[in-house]
Amino acid sequence: MRNFWIEFKKEIKKNYVLYLMAVPSIALLIAFNYIPMFGQLLAFKAFDVQKGILRSPWNGIRNFTFLFSTTDAWIITRNTVCYNVVFIALNMFLSVSLAIALNELRSKRAAKVFQTIFIMPHFLSIAIIAIIVFAFLGTSNGFVNVVRRFFGLKNINWYYNVSFWPGFLVFVNAWKGVGYSAVVYLASISGISMEFYEAAMLDGATKMQQVRYITLPHLRAIATILLIMSVGGIFNGDFGLFYTVTQNTGQLYPVTQVIDTYVYNALMTLNDIGRSSAATFYQTIVGFCLVMISNGVVRKIDPDNSLF
Amino acid sequence: MTRRILCLTVAMLMMLGLVLTGCSGSGSSQTTAAATTAAATTAATTAAATTAATTKVTTTLSTGAVTTAATSTATTAPVTADAPHITWYANNGVCTDNDMVMEYLSQYILEAINVDVTINNMSDSDYKEKVPVMLNAGQEMDMIVCNASFNNAIADMVKINALQPVTQYKDTLLADVVAVLPDNIWKDATYRGEIWGVPLYKNRVRNYDLLYNKNLAEQLGVGDMMADLQWDFMPDLMEKLYTVKDAMDDQGFYAPYVTTLYTPDSALRSFAAVDTLLGDNTKKGYCAINIDGEVGCASQPHGTVYNVYATEEFRDWCHLAYQWVQDCMIPEDDIKNIDPDNALRTHGELFCWGSSGLTSIDPYSFSNDYETVLIRSTKAIGLSNASNGVYCVPASSKNPEAAVKLMNLTNSDPYLATCMRYGIEGTHWKYDTDGQVTLEFEGSRNGDASNRGYYYWYGVFWGNLFIVSPAKQSAAATFVDDLYALNEIGSTVSKYYGFIFDIADVVDNVASIDNVVAQYLSQCGNGRLSSIEEIDATIETFNSALAANGLDKVLAAAQTQLDAYAADNGIK
C-alpha cells in the first residue's frame, strides 16, 4: 500500500499537467453521469416533493407496470430494437465505406471539403432536420408533391403513409450520423503505415484487396469498441428523430413509436416522475446487460479488441 | 518547456470554463425591483445577480388619472428593507418591453404590499416543459399557475405534495379577492377539502368565436348573410359557410380554403355539449358526461360517464370533417404547416377563422386593410372541472404568506391588472379624454398595432380579468359587462362543477389510453383519411384499442366516484 502511494505521487508529479487537463472532464463525468445515478431510486418510489427522494415511500415495482400494461408494449419494443439494429449495422457499413473513400482521395483539399460536407448534418439540430424533411414531404407545399403536381400527379400525404417511414427514418439517421462516425474511422485509417500498402502494391494487390486485407483488419479494433458501445443504447430510441421528424403523427405510430416517445405521450399530462424514471431505469438496465454480454462475447473471440 | 507552458495554459482555461459553467444563470427573463437601475429601461438579470443586488430603486410611481374603473385599491404599506423576496413564474410570453414593465410592476407591488417579487415570464411551451420539472425537483418558487394544459393539474400536484394549501388565508390575506370573485369559483381550486390557490376569473364557459373578413364578405355578396349569422355548433356553422364557398366559385375568387375555424383537437366541444372529467377537454373525450339541460351525445343518459369516441355523433363529425376537406372548406394539412405566419389572413385571402371567449375586438386588429367582425356562437357551455387554471403556492416556497398577498393583490387591484396587460402608464397606455384606456398616442410604445412594445389581451394568466380597464384597441368599454353576460349565458354549468376524478387506481390505464388517443383521434377527426370507409374502419380500431387498454375500468371508476360525489352533494 505504501509503495502504491509513493508510485502514485511520483506519477502525479511527473504528469501533473495531463491530470490537470483531465480534471474538468472527470468532474463533469462525476457530476452529470455518476451522481444522477442516485436518482434511479425514483423508479421504486411514490415520489413526494416535500419528502424528497430518500424519504418518499417505496412503491415496489408498481411504477414499471404501465410500460407493460399497454397493448403496444410489443410494438414499441420491436420498433426500438429493430431500428437500432439497422442503424448500427447500416451506419457502420456506410461510415467505414465513407472513411475509406475519403482516404483514397488524392487531393487532400478535396478530402477536407468532402469531410466538412459530410460532417455538417451532425451539427444540425433535430428540429431543423424535421423542418428540412417537412420541406420535402409536406402535403401542400412539399418539394416532392410540388414536382408531382407539375407532372400531373396527385399529392401524397406522406405523413399518413406508414410504409415509407422506416426507410425515411433510416435515411435521415444515416445522413445525420455517418459523417461524424466516418471521421473516427478516418483517423484510424490515417494511422495505418503506408508500408503495408506499398508492399501490397508490389505484390500486385488491387485496391479492393488492399482494403480487404489491410484497411479492414486495422479498423477491427475501433469498430468493435464502437459496436459494443452502440449495443448499450439499443433500447434507447432517438426521441428527436422519432417524435420531431415524424411530427408525432398518430397514424405512423405502428412503425415510429419507440419506448421514449411512448413514455412521453403516455406520461406528459400525468406528470408522474416515478413512472418516467422506471422507464429510463428499464432501458439503462437492459442496455447495461447487453454491453456486458457483448463485451463478454468479444472477449472470448478476440480478447485484444474487447472494451474491458 | 514551451509545451509545458502551453499545456498548463490550456489546463487553466479548461478549469476556468468549468467554474464559469457552474456559475451561469437560468437565461430566462427576470427582473426585480431591487435592481440597480436609474432609468426606465432595465437589463435582464440572472438569478444569481438578482439575489446579490443590494440597491433598491425608490422611484415613486404615478397612478395617473383617477377613474372608478382603474384606481389602485392597494394600501401603500411602508417599504422595509427586509421585504420578503418571492419568485413568480408567469406564462404570458415575453414582449419587447418585458424587462422594463416587469421592473415597474415589481416596484408597484413592493410599494403596495411590501413584497419584493421577481417575475419570470415564460412562453406557454416553456412553461409546460419546465415548470412541472421544477416543481418535482423542489426548486424554490413562490407562485405558479396550475392547469391541466400545463401538465400540472391541481389533483396531480396535490398527490405528490407539491403545493401548499391557502385555506387558512381565505378570510385574512385573501379577503380582497374573496370579495370580488363569485363564491362558487373556489370549487376550481378545492381538492380534498383544501383550497390550493386563487382561481383565474375570466370567461368560464366554452364557446366559439367566428371572426370574418367583412370587406371580403361584401365583395362576395354575402355581407348580409354574415351579419345575420347565428350558429350553435360547428356543423351548423359550416353548413352556412357553404354559401360563401358557392359565392367564391361563382365569382372566380380563388382561396385554398374558406376557414381555419376547425381544429380537430377541439372536436369534443365542436359538435356536442359534452364535458370531460379528466381536465383536458380536447383529448380526454373517452371519459365524458353530457351537460344537463343541453343536448350532448343523444344516446347517453345524463349522469352517465361514457366514451364520446364510440358515439354516432363522433362518427358523423368525422364524416363531416372529411367532406369539408374534400370540398376545400378547411385545409388538408395543419394550418401551422401550410401557413405558419398567417399570411393568408394578413393579405385578406382567408374568409374566416376562429377564437374562443372573446366579447369584442378592434375591427382592424388583424389587418389595417380590412375590417374584422366577431360573431360568437350562441352555445356557451360550462364545465365541471378546474380546467381554467389556479394560482398556487408550491411546497418549496419559503414565503407562502408573501405569495398569498401577491395573489390577493393581482386579483383585486384594478390598476395593477391594467398595467399587467398594457404596460406602463404614460409609456404604453394612458387614459383618453373619455376616461377609457388608449394605447395610441404620441410617443406610445404600443402605438403600432403590428409591433406593440408590451401588450397582453386577454392576458388571462395575469389574473382577474373583470377588474381590468380595457383599452379601446382591445375591447369595448362595456367589456366587463359583456364578459359577465357571456358567463351568465353559460348558465348551463354542469351540476357536477367541482368534481375531480381521482385516477390513482387506474393511472396505468389512463397512461396507455392517452397514447391510444394520441395515435387515433387526430387521424379520425381531421378529415384527411382517404375515404369514409377508412374513417369508419379507423374509428372501429380506435375504440377496440381503447377497450383493450382498460377503458371500461376507467369508466367504471369514474362513474363510481361521480355517483359518490352526487350523493355527497345532493345532486340528482
Side-chain angles (χ1 to χ4, degrees):
Chain A
M1 192 68 176
R2 196 157 169 261
N3 283 342
F4 168 78
W5 284 112
I6 292 170
E7 290 298 321
F8 182 70
K9 278 190 215 168
K10 272 191 201 165
E11 171 67 20
I12 297 289
K13 199 171 172 185
K14 186 178 158 193
N15 296 311
Y16 73 93
V17 173
L18 297 176
Y19 285 110
L20 209 55
M21 286 176 73
V23 162
S25 309
I26 293 171
L28 282 169
L29 198 68
I30 292 172
F32 291 105
N33 289 81
Y34 283 93
I35 291 178
M37 278 190 192
F38 153 78
Q40 295 281 24
L41 280 176
L42 281 168
F44 302 95
K45 296 263 188 169
F47 182 61
D48 184 313
V49 170
Q50 295 192 38
K51 292 179 181 170
I53 298 176
L54 286 178
R55 288 183 297 142
S56 292
W58 291 100
N59 203 21
I61 58 168
R62 275 192 282 278
N63 288 340
F64 291 84
T65 55
F66 91 97
L67 266 177
F68 306 103
S69 63
T70 172
T71 50
D72 290 338
W74 158 244
I75 291 176
I76 59 178
T77 307
R78 178 203 71 189
N79 287 345
T80 309
V81 173
C82 289
Y83 273 115
N84 278 321
V85 166
V86 172
F87 290 162
I88 291 169
L90 184 66
N91 286 4
M92 182 180 288
F93 170 76
L94 291 174
S95 304
V96 170
S97 306
L98 185 61
I100 292 170
L102 286 171
N103 187 58
E104 292 301 320
L105 286 175
R106 288 212 183 105
S107 164
K108 290 303 162 199
R109 189 177 176 142
K112 285 194 187 313
V113 168
F114 281 118
Q115 194 177 314
T116 305
I117 292 170
F118 287 125
I119 204 176
M120 288 267 273
H122 174 78
F123 299 106
L124 287 178
S125 154
I126 198 67
I128 304 291
I129 291 174
I131 292 170
I132 294 172
V133 170
F134 182 75
F136 277 91
L137 302 180
T139 307
S140 304
N141 301 322
F143 177 75
V144 175
N145 276 337
V146 166
V147 170
R148 284 179 63 86
R149 286 200 299 271
F150 181 78
F151 288 107
L153 301 170
K154 282 176 81 170
N155 282 347
I156 294 179
N157 196 337
W158 298 99
Y159 285 87
Y160 269 53
N161 239 301
V162 170
S163 50
F164 296 110
W165 278 90
F168 287 158
L169 292 172
V170 169
F171 176 79
V172 170
N173 181 266
W175 174 73
K176 191 173 191 298
V178 160
Y180 185 81
S181 304
V183 168
V184 176
Y185 291 117
L186 188 61
S188 194
I189 292 173
S190 303
I192 301 173
S193 172
M194 288 307 296
E195 290 174 358
F196 291 109
Y197 293 103
E198 286 164 7
M201 279 167 59
L202 286 174
D203 289 341
T206 61
K207 272 292 174 199
M208 285 308 299
Q209 285 172 324
Q210 289 174 38
V211 166
R212 187 177 164 193
Y213 292 110
I214 300 172
T215 312
L216 289 180
H218 278 90
L219 286 180
R220 198 167 66 180
I222 187 71
T224 307
I225 289 170
L226 290 178
L227 176 66
I228 295 172
M229 287 165 61
S230 300
V231 164
I234 210 165
F235 258 66
N236 295 337
D238 182 346
F239 183 83
L241 181 69
F242 291 101
Y243 186 89
T244 313
V245 172
T246 64
Q247 300 192 343
N248 194 33
T249 306
Q251 186 137 3
L252 302 178
Y253 277 15
V255 296
T256 62
Q257 188 161 59
V258 294
I259 294 173
D260 301 71
T261 57
Y262 171 75
V263 170
Y264 181 85
N265 283 327
L267 298 182
M268 192 59 195
T269 56
L270 293 180
N271 195 16
D272 191 322
I273 202 167
R275 283 177 167 79
S276 311
S277 301
T280 314
F281 185 82
Y282 165 67
Q283 288 176 299
T284 50
I285 283 294
V286 172
F288 174 74
C289 293
L290 287 172
V291 166
M292 299 302 285
I293 292 169
S294 53
N295 188 70
V297 168
V298 170
R299 198 165 53 221
K300 280 262 187 296
I301 299 171
D302 189 354
D304 291 333
N305 287 335
S306 64
L307 201 55
F308 48 83
Chain B
M1 186 65 181
T2 309
R3 274 187 235 167
R4 189 173 285 261
I5 292 171
L6 188 63
C7 288
L8 264 172
T9 307
V10 171
M12 287 301 123
L13 284 171
M14 289 169 77
M15 295 287 281
L16 187 62
L18 181 68
V19 169
L20 287 174
T21 304
C23 293
S24 64
S26 67
S28 63
S29 175
Q30 48 183 296
T31 59
T32 173
T36 56
T37 57
T41 56
T42 63
T45 58
T46 62
T50 300
T51 55
T54 55
T55 307
K56 289 189 184 293
V57 174
T58 56
T59 307
T60 302
L61 296 172
S62 164
T63 55
V66 173
T67 68
T68 54
T71 305
S72 169
T73 57
T75 307
T76 303
V79 176
T80 61
D82 59 349
H85 178 256
I86 64 172
T87 310
W88 173 11
Y89 281 83
N91 62 312
N92 298 290
V94 179
C95 292
T96 312
D97 292 347
N98 182 78
D99 293 342
M100 173 199 304
V101 178
M102 291 304 114
E103 189 192 2
Y104 178 86
L105 297 176
S106 299
Q107 184 62 26
Y108 180 92
I109 293 166
L110 180 67
E111 292 186 0
I113 56 173
N114 197 35
V115 170
D116 180 18
V117 59
T118 300
I119 307 174
N120 281 335
N121 217 353
M122 293 184 187
S123 65
D124 264 3
S125 54
D126 269 354
Y127 204 90
K128 201 185 293 193
E129 284 189 11
K130 292 179 183 172
V131 169
V133 175
M134 290 155 69
L135 270 175
N136 278 293
Q139 178 166 335
E140 193 172 329
M141 299 187 286
D142 300 285
M143 192 159 121
I144 59 168
V145 168
C146 282
N147 184 320
S149 306
F150 296 140
N151 304 324
N152 60 354
I154 284 189
D156 296 335
M157 294 297 100
V158 168
K159 273 181 234 160
I160 60 171
N161 265 332
L163 302 176
Q164 299 189 41
V166 301
T167 322
Q168 68 267 38
Y169 303 117
K170 194 176 174 199
D171 297 326
T172 54
L173 299 178
L174 290 175
D176 291 334
V177 72
V178 168
V180 297
L181 295 188
D183 290 336
N184 68 351
I185 200 175
W186 293 95
K187 286 186 182 181
D188 277 0
T190 303
Y191 184 60
R192 292 184 179 172
E194 295 276 10
I195 298 173
W196 297 95
V198 176
L200 302 177
Y201 188 29
K202 57 183 187 73
N203 54 306
R204 299 178 68 197
V205 296
R206 295 289 182 263
N207 72 310
Y208 273 120
D209 301 315
L210 174 69
L211 297 136
Y212 74 92
N213 180 336
K214 186 180 177 187
N215 295 36
L216 183 54
E218 280 164 7
Q219 179 187 332
L220 293 171
V222 294
D224 290 340
M225 183 205 84
M226 291 303 296
D228 296 332
L229 187 69
Q230 288 192 343
W231 55 290
D232 289 345
F233 293 107
M234 209 165 296
D236 177 32
L237 169 66
M238 294 298 281
E239 198 177 313
K240 292 174 173 132
L241 288 180
Y242 269 93
T243 308
V244 175
K245 178 75 174 133
D246 292 338
M248 283 181 173
D249 292 340
D250 289 343
Q251 295 183 37
F253 179 89
Y254 171 73
Y257 34 80
V258 173
T259 180
T260 57
L261 177 62
Y262 172 83
T263 53
D265 282 351
S266 300
L268 189 62
R269 51 188 164 108
S270 303
F271 59 89
V274 175
D275 182 15
T276 173
L277 298 182
L278 281 169
D280 182 347
N281 56 33
T282 58
K283 295 183 178 66
K284 304 277 191 172
Y286 58 84
C287 186
I289 54 174
N290 288 336
I291 307 283
D292 274 352
E294 293 293 334
V295 176
C297 288
S299 57
Q300 307 299 326
H302 287 279
T304 302
V305 183
Y306 67 95
N307 171 21
V308 169
Y309 306 130
T311 62
E312 281 305 309
E313 284 84 353
F314 179 71
R315 186 182 297 266
D316 291 341
W317 167 255
C318 295
H319 290 177
L320 280 172
Y322 169 80
Q323 197 56 51
W324 295 334
V325 169
Q326 298 303 306
D327 295 340
C328 296
M329 293 293 290
I330 61 175
E332 63 173 342
D333 199 351
D334 278 330
I335 188 63
K336 68 178 188 313
N337 292 334
I338 51 179
D339 189 14
D341 299 322
N342 287 312
L344 286 173
R345 189 173 73 189
T346 306
H347 296 140
E349 292 170 46
L350 182 62
F351 182 79
C352 61
W353 57 97
S355 185
S356 178
L358 297 176
T359 55
S360 57
I361 56 162
D362 174 359
Y364 294 95
S365 51
F366 292 95
S367 173
N368 292 326
D369 297 330
Y370 63 84
E371 190 178 337
T372 306
V373 175
L374 164 70
I375 306 177
R376 292 187 345 221
S377 64
T378 56
K379 194 58 65 179
I381 307 161
L383 300 176
S384 68
N385 50 60
S387 58
N388 288 329
V390 180
Y391 264 114
C392 299
V393 181
S396 58
S397 171
K398 303 263 188 318
N399 294 297
E401 290 194 358
V404 171
K405 278 190 197 173
L406 178 59
M407 283 182 209
N408 182 64
L409 183 69
T410 57
N411 285 283
S412 60
D413 185 329
Y415 185 77
L416 180 61
T418 304
C419 289
M420 286 193 292
R421 285 160 178 85
Y422 298 127
I424 303 171
E425 186 184 0
T427 305
H428 298 94
W429 63 275
K430 68 172 200 173
Y431 292 106
D432 209 347
T433 49
D434 57 4
Q436 194 175 356
V437 168
T438 182
L439 306 177
E440 291 169 4
F441 53 91
E442 194 170 332
S444 167
R445 292 177 69 90
N446 275 343
D448 181 359
S450 62
N451 186 25
R452 299 198 199 275
Y454 183 92
Y455 180 76
Y456 294 104
W457 187 249
Y458 281 172
V460 295
F461 295 107
W462 286 123
N464 188 351
L465 197 50
F466 281 79
I467 56 174
V468 177
S469 299
K472 289 179 177 178
Q473 293 77 15
S474 302
T478 56
F479 167 73
V480 169
D481 293 335
D482 294 342
L483 188 61
Y484 189 77
L486 174 67
N487 284 346
E488 289 305 302
I489 290 173
S491 59
T492 51
V493 171
S494 170
K495 60 187 179 186
Y496 297 103
Y497 178 50
F499 169 72
I500 295 179
F501 176 24
D502 185 348
I503 62 171
D505 292 334
V506 292
V507 63
D508 287 349
N509 300 109
V510 170
S512 47
I513 286 170
D514 282 348
N515 185 64
V516 172
V517 171
Q519 180 172 355
Y520 288 104
L521 177 59
S522 186
Q523 59 178 300
C524 288
N526 64 17
R528 290 173 215 148
L529 291 176
S530 58
S531 65
I532 294 284
E533 290 73 26
E534 190 181 357
I535 291 172
D536 289 342
T538 306
I539 292 175
E540 291 296 324
T541 310
F542 180 18
N543 284 294
S544 298
L546 289 174
N549 281 281
L551 178 61
D552 288 342
K553 192 176 168 194
V554 173
L555 293 178
Q559 188 71 67
T560 303
Q561 291 185 30
L562 190 71
D563 292 342
Y565 180 85
D568 290 344
N569 290 275
I571 299 169
K572 292 195 172 71

